Every structure is written in C-alpha cells, then in structure tokens.
Amino acid sequence: MSAPCLARGSPGRLALANVAADILNNLPLAELHCHLEATVEPDDARIFAKRNSIDISGVFNDQGDYHWRDFKEFLDTYDAVSEAIRTPQDYYELTLHYYTRMAARGVIYGEVFVSPEHAGKFGISYTALIDAVAAAMREAEAKSGIVGRIIVTCVRHFGSEHATATAQLAVDHPHPMVTGFGMAGDEAFGAAADYARAFDIARDAGLGLTAHAGEILGPESVHEAITLFHVDRIGHGVRILEDDALAAAVKDWGLTLEVCPTSNVAIGLYPSLERHPLPALVAAGLKVTLNADDPAYFDVDVADEYRKSAEIHGFERERLAGFTRTAIEAAFCDSKTKVELLTRLDRN
Ligand code: HPA
Ligand code: ZN
C-alpha cells in the first residue's frame, strides 16, 4: 500500500486536543465502538470521491459538513458517503489516518466496526478489505504503539441474509485481527430473531459479539440482543435504565455497555450531554465504556468523550481510568494483549 495523502484535520480539532491533553494528562484511552467508514472527515470523503470519480455532493450541507436531520437520514448519508470509498487502498489510508490520529490523542487500544457489506457493493472482496485494514493497524501499532482489532459488522437494514453471509465470510476467512462480530444499522428494521443465525455462526467460531440495541429502541431491543444473539457487549444500551429488572440482569451477567454520549445527543435521544444517563449508568454499577461512534459526523472523538464526561459530570481521573480499564477487560482481543494494555494503563 502506498503512503496516504488525506487532509490533516481542522484547527478547531487541534485546539480541542490541547484542552483535552490538560484534563486527561496522558491517561491511556481505549475505544470499543467506532464505525470505520464514519471516521472519514468530509474533506477526506471529497478526496476519495474525486479520486474514484463518484458524485457524493448531495451528502454535504452549505458548510461542507455531512447533512442529515434524523437517525434514518443519518444512516442514508452514511451509506452514501461509504460509496466514495472504493478500493483497498482507500480503506488502508483511512484506517491508518484514524489510528495515527487516535494514537496522538492518547488511545492505546481501538476496535472498529468494519462493514464488508458496504465494501462489497463495489467489488472489494472480504479478504482484500480485511488485509487492507489490518495492514494499516499494524503500521500504526509499529509507529505509535496503538493496538487495533476489527469487528466484522453486518448492517441490519441490509437484511438478515446478508448478515448471515457476512458472519460466514468472517468464519471462512479467519484473520488474527478479526476478533469480533457485530450488528449496526437500523435497530428497528426486521425481526431480531432473523439475525440470530448470523450471531450463532460467529459465536461458534469464537468471535466476541456485540449488537446495537437500546439506542433507537427501548429495553426490549437489549433484551432481544441478550436472549437471541447472546452478545458479550451491547452497542449503546443506554435505555436499559427504563427497565430496572433488565438493568439488574445486565449488571449480574457482567455485560459491558458501549456508551456513546455525543452520538446519542446528536441523534436526538437526549436533549443535551447534561441530560444523558451516563452518570446514572455508572452509579448503577454497570460496566460502562466511552466511545465516539461516528467521529466525523458528530465532531467528536473518544478523547473528547472522556474530557466532556469529566467537565460535565465531574468524573475524576480515577473514574476516567476506570472507563479504559473496563474497555480493555471487555475487549475482543487475546488475554496476553489485555495484560500488556492494562500494564500500560497502570503505569500512568
Ligand atoms: N448507529 C447505528 N448504525 C450505524 C451507526 C450508528 O451510529 N453508524 C454506522 N452505522
Ligand atoms: Zn454505532
């Protein structure tokens, strides 16, 4: 793969980085919930679109940012922007770009959702996709120590047959950096039971499991993810506090929540970060991690999430370190890697 030539980021982002550095004071961070295609900033999407002769001008607003007004429109924009990413080289570049930036922000471990269904639409094979993303992760690790892993992800609104086929691809082509299987997309699309087969296939192959639930829909979708998919982690899950018994069960079973506060506010789930249930989830003794979800859409990264949680909810450094510890403990990587990561955390 050749060297990337993507945009370097806006001055606003650099200013934020300085503020965060003060508050976080070199605390190692970890992220479990981030969609790879959503790490592509609008400037880079324009570079990819131009390079691949694709017209995605309809996805931008007058300011040149991604345009969407609600969750459905967000998913449509996301799918449309993903169409500008057409080659393994594109995936290599955007992955290297993201991991390099996150390493500079203090992230020592990051899992990303990678969607073979988006990439496959334009002829990128599963193995070419995974090889490109993995090559970039390895390069980023060699340069800056950040460790990456891939969660192969199906997209609920693309249908259950695709979901099953995606799980099967991951199982038929095992790769050391592919350690999880997940489901993103429209939580309300189709019947959950239809997707259970995909999770069965992935589980039998030893992949860690996570599904978006309790974001758009209420506690019942978390209940389905647990009872039908037998997930290890819940993507979002923030609405479980609406059902005390379910929250208690999630706690007893030790399931980890991949909480993405800024994403939840951006999508309209909560009116502000101040009104987000993050403190209540922590107070309930649930296993909580902090994540950016869709950084380029919500103008946030995981370091921002840590910093904002300290500023808005008053979390101390020990609590912030607790988010990293929980993320490493719940990570879909081998135990030797976890021990190494925890050692790095404990050194700070
Ligand atoms: N939620 C659900 N599905 C998604 C998202 C998200 O934030 N981003 C990409 N696919
Ligand atoms: Zn998500």
Coordinates of all heavy atoms in Angstrom, one line a residue, residues 118-161:
H118 N -20.8 -2.9 3.0 CA -20.6 -1.6 2.3 C -19.5 -1.8 1.2 O -19.6 -1.4 0.1 CB -20.2 -0.5 3.3 CG -21.4 0.1 4.0 ND1 -21.7 -0.3 5.3 CD2 -22.3 1.0 3.7 CE1 -22.8 0.3 5.7 NE2 -23.2 1.1 4.7
A119 N -18.4 -2.4 1.7 CA -17.2 -2.5 0.8 C -17.5 -3.4 -0.4 O -17.1 -3.2 -1.5 CB -16.0 -3.1 1.5
G120 N -18.3 -4.5 -0.1 CA -18.6 -5.5 -1.2 C -19.4 -5.0 -2.3 O -19.4 -5.5 -3.4
K121 N -20.2 -3.9 -2.0 CA -21.1 -3.3 -3.0 C -20.4 -3.0 -4.3 O -20.9 -3.0 -5.4 CB -21.8 -2.1 -2.5 CG -23.1 -2.2 -1.8 CD -23.7 -0.8 -1.7 CE -24.8 -0.8 -0.7 NZ -25.2 0.6 -0.4
F122 N -19.1 -2.6 -4.1 CA -18.3 -2.1 -5.3 C -17.2 -3.0 -5.6 O -16.1 -2.6 -6.1 CB -17.9 -0.7 -5.0 CG -19.1 0.2 -4.8 CD1 -19.4 0.7 -3.5 CD2 -19.9 0.5 -5.8 CE1 -20.5 1.4 -3.3 CE2 -21.1 1.2 -5.6 CZ -21.4 1.7 -4.4
G123 N -17.3 -4.3 -5.1 CA -16.4 -5.3 -5.6 C -15.2 -5.5 -4.8 O -14.3 -6.3 -5.2
I124 N -15.1 -4.9 -3.6 CA -13.9 -5.2 -2.7 C -14.2 -6.5 -2.0 O -15.2 -6.6 -1.3 CB -13.7 -4.1 -1.7 CG1 -13.5 -2.7 -2.4 CG2 -12.5 -4.4 -0.8 CD1 -13.3 -1.6 -1.4
S125 N -13.3 -7.5 -2.2 CA -13.5 -8.8 -1.6 C -13.3 -8.7 -0.1 O -12.6 -7.8 0.4 CB -12.6 -9.8 -2.2 OG -11.3 -9.6 -1.7
Y126 N -13.9 -9.6 0.6 CA -13.8 -9.6 2.1 C -12.3 -9.7 2.5 O -11.8 -8.9 3.3 CB -14.5 -10.9 2.7 CG -14.3 -11.0 4.2 CD1 -15.1 -10.3 5.1 CD2 -13.3 -11.8 4.7 CE1 -14.9 -10.4 6.4 CE2 -13.1 -11.9 6.0 CZ -13.9 -11.2 6.9 OH -13.7 -11.3 8.3
T127 N -11.5 -10.5 1.9 CA -10.1 -10.7 2.3 C -9.3 -9.4 1.9 O -8.4 -9.0 2.7 CB -9.5 -11.9 1.6 OG1 -9.7 -11.9 0.2 CG2 -10.0 -13.2 2.3
A128 N -9.6 -8.8 0.8 CA -8.9 -7.6 0.4 C -9.2 -6.5 1.4 O -8.3 -5.7 1.8 CB -9.3 -7.1 -1.0
L129 N -10.4 -6.4 1.8 CA -10.8 -5.4 2.8 C -10.1 -5.6 4.1 O -9.5 -4.7 4.7 CB -12.4 -5.5 3.0 CG -12.9 -4.7 4.2 CD1 -12.8 -3.2 3.9 CD2 -14.4 -5.0 4.4
I130 N -10.2 -6.8 4.6 CA -9.6 -7.1 5.9 C -8.1 -6.9 5.9 O -7.4 -6.3 6.8 CB -10.0 -8.5 6.4 CG1 -11.5 -8.6 6.6 CG2 -9.2 -8.8 7.7 CD1 -12.1 -7.6 7.5
D131 N -7.5 -7.4 4.8 CA -6.0 -7.2 4.7 C -5.6 -5.8 4.7 O -4.6 -5.4 5.3 CB -5.5 -7.9 3.4 CG -5.5 -9.4 3.5 OD1 -5.7 -9.9 4.6 OD2 -5.4 -10.1 2.5
A132 N -6.4 -4.9 4.0 CA -6.0 -3.5 3.9 C -6.1 -2.8 5.3 O -5.3 -2.1 5.7 CB -6.9 -2.8 2.9
V133 N -7.3 -3.1 6.0 CA -7.5 -2.5 7.3 C -6.4 -3.0 8.3 O -5.8 -2.2 9.1 CB -8.9 -2.8 7.8 CG1 -9.1 -2.3 9.2 CG2 -9.9 -2.2 6.9
A134 N -6.2 -4.3 8.2 CA -5.2 -4.9 9.2 C -3.8 -4.4 8.9 O -3.0 -4.1 9.9 CB -5.2 -6.4 9.1
A135 N -3.4 -4.2 7.6 CA -2.1 -3.7 7.3 C -1.9 -2.3 7.9 O -0.9 -2.0 8.5 CB -1.9 -3.6 5.8
A136 N -3.0 -1.5 7.8 CA -2.9 -0.1 8.4 C -2.8 -0.2 9.9 O -2.0 0.6 10.5 CB -4.1 0.7 8.0
M137 N -3.5 -1.1 10.5 CA -3.5 -1.2 12.0 C -2.1 -1.6 12.5 O -1.6 -1.1 13.4 CB -4.5 -2.2 12.5 CG -5.9 -1.7 12.5 SD -7.0 -3.1 13.0 CE -8.6 -2.2 13.2
R138 N -1.5 -2.5 11.7 CA -0.2 -3.0 12.1 C 0.8 -1.9 11.9 O 1.7 -1.7 12.8 CB 0.2 -4.2 11.2 CG -0.5 -5.5 11.6 CD 0.2 -6.7 11.0 NE -0.5 -7.9 11.5 CZ -1.2 -8.7 10.7 NH1 -1.4 -8.4 9.4 NH2 -1.8 -9.8 11.2
E139 N 0.7 -1.1 10.9 CA 1.6 0.0 10.6 C 1.5 1.1 11.7 O 2.5 1.6 12.3 CB 1.3 0.6 9.3 CG 2.4 1.5 8.8 CD 2.2 2.0 7.3 OE1 1.7 1.2 6.5 OE2 2.5 3.1 7.0
A140 N 0.2 1.4 12.1 CA 0.0 2.3 13.2 C 0.6 1.8 14.5 O 1.2 2.6 15.2 CB -1.5 2.6 13.3
E141 N 0.4 0.5 14.7 CA 1.0 0.0 16.0 C 2.5 0.1 16.0 O 3.1 0.5 17.0 CB 0.5 -1.5 16.2 CG 1.1 -2.0 17.5 CD 0.5 -3.4 17.9 OE1 -0.4 -3.9 17.2 OE2 1.0 -4.0 18.8
A142 N 3.1 -0.2 14.9 CA 4.6 -0.2 14.8 C 5.1 1.2 15.0 O 6.1 1.5 15.7 CB 5.1 -0.7 13.5
K143 N 4.3 2.2 14.5 CA 4.8 3.6 14.6 C 4.5 4.2 16.0 O 5.2 5.1 16.5 CB 4.1 4.4 13.6 CG 4.7 4.3 12.2 CD 4.1 5.2 11.2 CE 4.7 5.1 9.8 NZ 3.7 5.3 8.8
S144 N 3.3 3.9 16.6 CA 2.9 4.6 17.8 C 2.4 3.8 18.9 O 2.0 4.3 19.9 CB 1.8 5.6 17.3 OG 0.7 4.9 16.8
G145 N 2.4 2.5 18.8 CA 2.0 1.6 19.9 C 0.5 1.4 20.0 O 0.1 0.6 20.8
I146 N -0.3 2.1 19.2 CA -1.8 1.9 19.3 C -2.1 0.5 18.8 O -1.6 0.0 17.8 CB -2.5 3.0 18.6 CG1 -4.0 2.8 18.8 CG2 -2.2 3.0 17.1 CD1 -4.9 4.0 18.4
V147 N -2.9 -0.3 19.5 CA -3.3 -1.6 19.2 C -4.7 -1.6 18.6 O -5.6 -1.0 19.2 CB -3.2 -2.6 20.4 CG1 -3.7 -4.0 20.0 CG2 -1.8 -2.6 21.0
G148 N -4.9 -2.2 17.4 CA -6.2 -2.2 16.8 C -6.8 -3.6 16.6 O -6.0 -4.6 16.5
R149 N -8.1 -3.8 16.6 CA -8.7 -5.0 16.3 C -10.0 -4.7 15.5 O -10.5 -3.6 15.6 CB -9.1 -5.8 17.5 CG -8.0 -6.4 18.3 CD -7.2 -7.5 17.6 NE -6.2 -8.1 18.4 CZ -4.9 -7.7 18.4 NH1 -4.5 -6.7 17.7 NH2 -4.0 -8.3 19.2
I150 N -10.4 -5.7 14.7 CA -11.6 -5.5 13.8 C -12.8 -6.2 14.3 O -12.7 -7.4 14.6 CB -11.2 -6.0 12.3 CG1 -10.0 -5.2 11.8 CG2 -12.4 -6.0 11.4 CD1 -9.4 -5.8 10.5
I151 N -13.9 -5.6 14.3 CA -15.2 -6.2 14.5 C -15.9 -6.2 13.1 O -16.3 -5.2 12.6 CB -16.1 -5.5 15.5 CG1 -15.3 -5.3 16.8 CG2 -17.4 -6.2 15.7 CD1 -16.1 -4.4 17.9
V152 N -16.0 -7.4 12.5 CA -16.7 -7.5 11.3 C -18.2 -7.3 11.6 O -18.8 -7.9 12.5 CB -16.5 -8.9 10.6 CG1 -17.5 -9.2 9.5 CG2 -15.1 -8.9 10.1
T153 N -18.8 -6.4 10.8 CA -20.2 -5.9 11.2 C -21.2 -6.1 10.0 O -20.9 -5.7 8.9 CB -20.0 -4.4 11.5 OG1 -19.1 -4.4 12.6 CG2 -21.4 -3.8 11.9
C154 N -22.3 -6.6 10.4 CA -23.4 -6.7 9.4 C -24.3 -5.4 9.6 O -24.2 -4.8 10.7 CB -24.2 -8.0 9.5 SG -25.1 -8.2 11.1
V155 N -25.1 -5.1 8.7 CA -25.9 -3.9 8.7 C -27.4 -4.4 8.7 O -27.9 -5.0 7.7 CB -25.6 -3.0 7.5 CG1 -26.5 -1.8 7.5 CG2 -24.2 -2.7 7.4
R156 N -28.1 -4.1 9.8 CA -29.4 -4.7 10.0 C -30.4 -4.3 8.8 O -31.1 -5.2 8.3 CB -30.0 -4.2 11.3 CG -31.3 -4.9 11.6 CD -31.5 -5.0 13.1 NE -32.9 -5.4 13.4 CZ -33.3 -5.8 14.6 NH1 -32.4 -5.7 15.6 NH2 -34.5 -6.2 14.9
H157 N -30.3 -3.1 8.4 CA -31.3 -2.7 7.3 C -30.9 -3.2 5.9 O -31.6 -3.0 5.0 CB -31.6 -1.2 7.3 CG -30.3 -0.3 7.1 ND1 -29.6 0.1 8.2 CD2 -29.8 0.2 6.0 CE1 -28.6 0.8 7.7 NE2 -28.7 0.9 6.4
F158 N -29.8 -3.9 5.8 CA -29.4 -4.6 4.5 C -30.0 -6.0 4.5 O -29.9 -6.7 3.5 CB -27.9 -4.7 4.3 CG -27.3 -3.3 4.0 CD1 -25.9 -3.2 3.9 CD2 -28.0 -2.2 3.8 CE1 -25.2 -2.0 3.7 CE2 -27.4 -0.9 3.6 CZ -26.0 -0.9 3.5
G159 N -30.6 -6.5 5.6 CA -31.3 -7.7 5.6 C -30.6 -8.9 6.3 O -29.3 -8.9 6.4
S160 N -31.3 -9.9 6.7 CA -30.8 -11.0 7.5 C -29.9 -11.9 6.7 O -29.0 -12.5 7.2 CB -31.8 -11.7 8.3 OG -32.8 -12.2 7.4
E161 N -30.3 -12.0 5.4 CA -29.5 -13.0 4.5 C -28.1 -12.4 4.4 O -27.1 -13.2 4.4 CB -30.2 -13.1 3.2 CG -31.3 -14.0 3.3 CD -32.0 -14.2 1.9 OE1 -31.4 -14.0 0.9 OE2 -33.2 -14.7 2.0

